[in-house]
Amino acid sequence: GAVVSQHPSRVICKSGTSVKIECRSLDFQATTMFWYRQFPKQSLMLMATSNEGSKATYEQGVEKDKFLINHASLTLSTLTVTSAHPEDSSFYICSAAGVVGNNQPQHFGDGTRLSIL
Amino acid sequence: KNEVEQSPQNLTAQEGEFITINCSYSVGISALHWLQQHPGGGIVSLFMLSSGKKKHGRLIATINIQEKHSSLHITASHPRDSAVYICAVHPERDKLIFGTGTRLQVFP
Protein backbone atom coordinates (compact mmCIF):
# COMPACT_ATOMS: atom_id res chain seq x y z
CA GLY A 1 0.00 0.00 0.00
CA ALA A 2 0.91 3.66 -0.20
CA VAL A 3 3.56 4.79 2.23
CA VAL A 4 4.03 8.16 3.85
CA SER A 5 7.25 8.79 5.71
CA GLN A 6 7.38 11.40 8.45
CA HIS A 7 10.62 12.57 10.02
CA PRO A 8 11.75 13.00 12.71
CA SER A 9 9.67 10.71 14.90
CA ARG A 10 10.62 12.51 18.09
CA VAL A 11 12.08 15.90 18.90
CA ILE A 12 13.10 17.30 22.25
CA CYS A 13 14.42 20.84 22.21
CA LYS A 14 14.69 24.06 24.13
CA SER A 15 12.12 26.82 24.11
CA GLY A 16 12.72 29.28 21.28
CA THR A 17 14.02 26.68 18.84
CA SER A 18 12.43 26.28 15.43
CA VAL A 19 11.62 22.69 14.47
CA LYS A 20 11.06 21.36 10.96
CA ILE A 21 9.03 18.22 10.33
CA GLU A 22 9.08 16.51 6.95
CA CYS A 23 6.34 14.47 5.33
CA ARG A 24 7.16 12.47 2.22
CA SER A 25 5.00 10.31 0.01
CA LEU A 26 7.26 7.45 -1.05
CA ASP A 27 5.40 5.75 -3.87
CA PHE A 28 2.78 8.19 -5.11
CA GLN A 29 2.40 11.85 -5.94
CA ALA A 30 0.63 13.69 -3.16
CA THR A 31 -1.47 16.48 -4.57
CA THR A 32 -2.72 17.37 -1.12
CA MET A 33 -1.12 16.97 2.28
CA PHE A 34 -2.79 17.53 5.61
CA TRP A 35 -1.15 18.45 8.91
CA TYR A 36 -2.82 17.41 12.15
CA ARG A 37 -2.12 17.96 15.80
CA GLN A 38 -3.16 15.54 18.52
CA PHE A 39 -3.16 16.13 22.27
CA PRO A 40 -3.10 13.13 24.63
CA LYS A 41 -6.27 11.06 24.48
CA GLN A 42 -7.90 13.48 22.06
CA SER A 43 -8.84 13.19 18.43
CA LEU A 44 -6.79 14.58 15.59
CA MET A 45 -7.28 18.26 14.87
CA LEU A 46 -6.65 19.52 11.37
CA MET A 47 -4.19 22.40 11.36
CA ALA A 48 -3.80 23.08 7.67
CA THR A 49 -4.19 21.71 4.18
CA SER A 50 -1.44 22.15 1.65
CA ASN A 51 -1.62 21.72 -2.09
CA GLU A 52 1.54 21.40 -4.12
CA GLY A 53 2.74 24.73 -5.44
CA SER A 54 0.24 26.91 -3.59
CA LYS A 55 -0.17 28.45 -0.16
CA ALA A 56 -1.51 26.31 2.62
CA THR A 57 -5.03 26.78 3.93
CA TYR A 58 -5.02 27.10 7.70
CA GLU A 59 -7.85 26.17 10.03
CA GLN A 60 -9.35 28.79 12.28
CA GLY A 61 -7.19 29.49 15.28
CA VAL A 62 -3.97 28.15 13.75
CA GLU A 63 -1.29 30.84 13.40
CA LYS A 64 0.20 30.66 9.92
CA ASP A 65 3.31 32.58 11.02
CA LYS A 66 3.84 30.12 13.84
CA PHE A 67 3.30 26.97 11.80
CA LEU A 68 4.95 27.43 8.42
CA ILE A 69 3.96 24.92 5.79
CA ASN A 70 5.74 24.38 2.51
CA HIS A 71 4.60 21.92 -0.17
CA ALA A 72 7.24 22.47 -2.79
CA SER A 73 6.94 19.18 -4.62
CA LEU A 74 4.44 16.39 -5.16
CA THR A 75 6.30 14.17 -2.70
CA LEU A 76 7.32 16.51 0.12
CA SER A 77 5.60 18.85 2.54
CA THR A 78 7.25 20.42 5.56
CA LEU A 79 5.85 21.91 8.75
CA THR A 80 8.10 24.30 10.66
CA VAL A 81 7.14 25.22 14.21
CA THR A 82 8.83 28.57 14.64
CA SER A 83 10.18 29.71 18.01
CA ALA A 84 8.57 26.75 19.72
CA HIS A 85 7.32 27.06 23.29
CA PRO A 86 6.21 24.41 25.80
CA GLU A 87 2.57 24.86 24.77
CA ASP A 88 3.53 23.69 21.27
CA SER A 89 4.46 20.29 22.70
CA SER A 90 2.16 17.82 21.01
CA PHE A 91 1.96 14.97 18.53
CA TYR A 92 2.00 16.17 14.93
CA ILE A 93 0.93 13.87 12.11
CA CYS A 94 0.69 14.36 8.38
CA SER A 95 -1.36 12.61 5.77
CA ALA A 96 -1.24 12.65 2.01
CA ALA A 97 -3.81 12.18 -0.71
CA GLY A 98 -3.05 11.52 -4.33
CA VAL A 99 -6.05 13.29 -5.76
CA VAL A 100 -8.02 16.24 -4.45
CA GLY A 101 -11.66 15.54 -3.71
CA ASN A 102 -13.85 13.33 -1.60
CA ASN A 103 -13.72 9.55 -1.61
CA GLN A 104 -9.96 9.56 -1.84
CA PRO A 105 -8.02 7.68 0.83
CA GLN A 106 -5.56 9.54 3.00
CA HIS A 107 -2.31 7.86 3.91
CA PHE A 108 -0.87 8.81 7.27
CA GLY A 109 2.67 9.21 8.46
CA ASP A 110 3.84 7.76 11.79
CA GLY A 111 3.77 11.16 13.47
CA THR A 112 6.27 13.36 15.28
CA ARG A 113 6.22 13.74 19.03
CA LEU A 114 7.45 17.23 19.86
CA SER A 115 8.54 18.11 23.37
CA ILE A 116 9.62 21.66 24.14
CA LEU A 117 11.51 22.14 27.39
CA LYS B 1 -22.55 17.41 20.48
CA ASN B 2 -19.71 16.04 18.38
CA GLU B 3 -20.44 15.43 14.72
CA VAL B 4 -18.84 11.98 15.02
CA GLU B 5 -19.53 9.88 18.11
CA GLN B 6 -17.87 6.58 18.88
CA SER B 7 -18.80 3.96 21.44
CA PRO B 8 -17.50 2.57 23.61
CA GLN B 9 -14.68 4.93 24.53
CA ASN B 10 -12.75 2.11 26.17
CA LEU B 11 -13.01 -1.60 25.61
CA THR B 12 -11.23 -4.56 27.14
CA ALA B 13 -11.54 -8.10 25.86
CA GLN B 14 -10.07 -11.54 26.26
CA GLU B 15 -8.16 -13.01 23.38
CA GLY B 16 -10.55 -14.69 20.95
CA GLU B 17 -13.57 -12.52 21.70
CA PHE B 18 -15.66 -10.88 18.99
CA ILE B 19 -15.43 -7.11 19.21
CA THR B 20 -17.73 -4.39 17.90
CA ILE B 21 -16.99 -0.68 17.84
CA ASN B 22 -19.71 1.73 16.79
CA CYS B 23 -19.65 5.10 15.05
CA SER B 24 -22.56 7.48 14.60
CA TYR B 25 -22.38 10.75 12.71
CA SER B 26 -24.71 13.66 12.19
CA VAL B 27 -23.56 15.17 8.89
CA GLY B 28 -24.04 14.12 5.29
CA ILE B 29 -21.01 12.24 4.11
CA SER B 30 -19.55 10.79 0.98
CA ALA B 31 -17.25 8.29 2.74
CA LEU B 32 -16.25 7.00 6.15
CA HIS B 33 -12.84 5.79 7.30
CA TRP B 34 -11.84 3.41 10.03
CA LEU B 35 -8.30 4.06 11.27
CA GLN B 36 -6.06 2.22 13.70
CA GLN B 37 -3.61 4.16 15.88
CA HIS B 38 -0.96 2.16 17.70
CA PRO B 39 0.64 3.24 21.00
CA GLY B 40 3.57 4.82 19.15
CA GLY B 41 1.13 7.11 17.39
CA GLY B 42 1.31 5.94 13.81
CA ILE B 43 -2.01 5.63 12.02
CA VAL B 44 -3.04 2.94 9.57
CA SER B 45 -6.09 3.26 7.37
CA LEU B 46 -8.16 0.07 7.75
CA PHE B 47 -11.19 0.80 5.59
CA MET B 48 -12.82 3.48 3.52
CA LEU B 49 -16.55 2.88 3.05
CA SER B 50 -19.33 4.63 1.24
CA SER B 51 -21.90 1.83 1.41
CA GLY B 52 -22.43 -1.75 2.46
CA LYS B 53 -19.72 -3.87 3.97
CA LYS B 54 -16.01 -4.55 3.58
CA LYS B 55 -13.88 -7.36 4.96
CA HIS B 56 -10.15 -7.64 5.37
CA GLY B 57 -8.82 -10.63 7.25
CA ARG B 58 -10.42 -10.63 10.71
CA LEU B 59 -11.79 -7.12 10.31
CA ILE B 60 -15.24 -6.28 9.00
CA ALA B 61 -16.66 -2.80 8.52
CA THR B 62 -20.27 -1.97 7.76
CA ILE B 63 -22.07 1.27 7.09
CA ASN B 64 -25.74 2.26 6.99
CA ILE B 65 -25.96 5.61 5.22
CA GLN B 66 -29.66 6.10 6.03
CA GLU B 67 -29.08 5.58 9.75
CA LYS B 68 -25.75 7.45 9.71
CA HIS B 69 -24.04 4.59 11.50
CA SER B 70 -21.02 2.37 10.97
CA SER B 71 -19.57 -0.55 12.88
CA LEU B 72 -16.13 -2.11 12.97
CA HIS B 73 -15.98 -5.76 13.97
CA ILE B 74 -12.92 -7.77 14.94
CA THR B 75 -13.30 -11.53 14.96
CA ALA B 76 -11.04 -13.80 17.03
CA SER B 77 -9.38 -10.83 18.70
CA HIS B 78 -5.69 -10.95 19.56
CA PRO B 79 -3.47 -8.88 21.87
CA ARG B 80 -1.83 -7.33 18.80
CA ASP B 81 -5.23 -5.79 17.98
CA SER B 82 -4.79 -3.53 21.02
CA ALA B 83 -4.85 0.02 19.71
CA VAL B 84 -7.07 3.07 19.38
CA TYR B 85 -9.64 2.72 16.62
CA ILE B 86 -10.80 5.97 15.07
CA CYS B 87 -13.83 6.64 12.91
CA ALA B 88 -13.49 9.57 10.51
CA VAL B 89 -16.02 10.89 8.02
CA HIS B 90 -15.74 12.82 4.78
CA PRO B 91 -18.53 15.41 4.77
CA GLU B 92 -19.36 17.22 1.56
CA ARG B 93 -16.32 19.49 1.98
CA ASP B 94 -12.91 17.94 1.60
CA LYS B 95 -11.85 17.59 5.24
CA LEU B 96 -12.08 14.59 7.52
CA ILE B 97 -13.96 14.86 10.81
CA PHE B 98 -12.57 12.50 13.42
CA GLY B 99 -14.22 10.71 16.29
CA THR B 100 -12.47 10.65 19.64
CA GLY B 101 -11.49 7.03 19.23
CA THR B 102 -12.08 3.75 21.02
CA ARG B 103 -9.22 2.41 23.08
CA LEU B 104 -9.13 -1.39 22.79
CA GLN B 105 -7.09 -3.68 24.99
CA VAL B 106 -7.08 -7.38 24.30
CA PHE B 107 -5.62 -9.56 27.02
CA PRO B 108 -4.14 -13.02 26.46
Side-chain angles (χ1 to χ4, degrees):
Chain A
V3 178
V4 172
S5 173
Q6 190 172 338
H7 178 81
S9 58
R10 181 160 179 95
V11 180
I12 302 172
C13 58
K14 292 182 180 179
S15 186
T17 307
S18 290
V19 178
K20 180 185 279 189
I21 303 170
E22 292 187 349
C23 182
R24 292 180 186 273
S25 57
L26 298 185
D27 55 359
F28 69 102
Q29 293 186 324
T31 307
T32 306
M33 285 190 173
F34 303 87
W35 287 97
Y36 297 92
R37 184 173 182 175
Q38 186 181 34
F39 290 105
K41 299 190 177 181
Q42 294 189 21
S43 61
L44 283 77
M45 290 174 48
L46 181 65
M47 299 174 66
T49 303
S50 74
N51 294 301
E52 184 266 337
S54 61
K55 287 184 178 180
T57 302
Y58 289 81
E59 295 300 298
Q60 193 172 9
V62 178
E63 298 176 60
K64 62 181 180 182
D65 295 330
K66 174 76 171 176
F67 299 99
L68 300 177
I69 291 171
N70 185 282
H71 192 164
S73 76
L74 284 171
T75 59
L76 174 64
S77 177
T78 60
L79 167 68
T80 302
V81 184
T82 61
S83 187
H85 287 90
E87 59 266 27
D88 299 322
S89 299
S90 189
F91 186 70
Y92 294 87
I93 192 163
C94 71
S95 72
V99 177
V100 176
N102 284 345
N103 292 355
Q104 301 302 324
Q106 288 187 26
H107 307 283
F108 289 84
D110 285 337
T112 298
R113 194 162 301 281
L114 177 61
S115 299
I116 308 298
L117 306 177
Chain B
K1 190 181 190 308
N2 293 334
E3 292 170 299
V4 180
E5 297 267 1
Q6 282 185 240
S7 63
Q9 288 187 317
N10 295 285
L11 184 56
T12 58
Q14 286 296 124
E15 184 173 357
E17 285 185 9
F18 180 83
I19 287 162
T20 296
I21 299 171
N22 295 299
C23 176
S24 296
Y25 52 92
S26 57
V27 295
I29 69 167
S30 56
L32 180 146
H33 294 254
W34 280 104
L35 309 170
Q36 180 190 54
Q37 186 171 30
H38 278 282
I43 291 177
V44 174
S45 179
L46 299 175
F47 295 103
M48 187 174 75
L49 292 166
S50 53
S51 65
K53 176 179 174 179
K54 286 189 176 181
K55 185 176 190 294
H56 182 69
R58 295 181 294 106
L59 302 178
I60 302 166
T62 63
I63 188 168
N64 185 317
I65 295 291
Q66 287 73 31
E67 294 186 3
K68 293 187 166 60
H69 181 269
S70 176
S71 293
L72 176 69
H73 306 285
I74 304 175
T75 61
S77 60
H78 191 276
R80 65 175 175 266
D81 297 326
S82 299
V84 175
Y85 292 83
I86 302 169
C87 171
V89 302
H90 264 300
E92 299 308 320
R93 61 187 188 279
D94 192 29
K95 289 186 290 191
L96 287 176
I97 302 175
F98 295 86
T100 52
T102 295
R103 189 172 300 273
L104 171 65
Q105 285 188 296
V106 182
F107 294 99

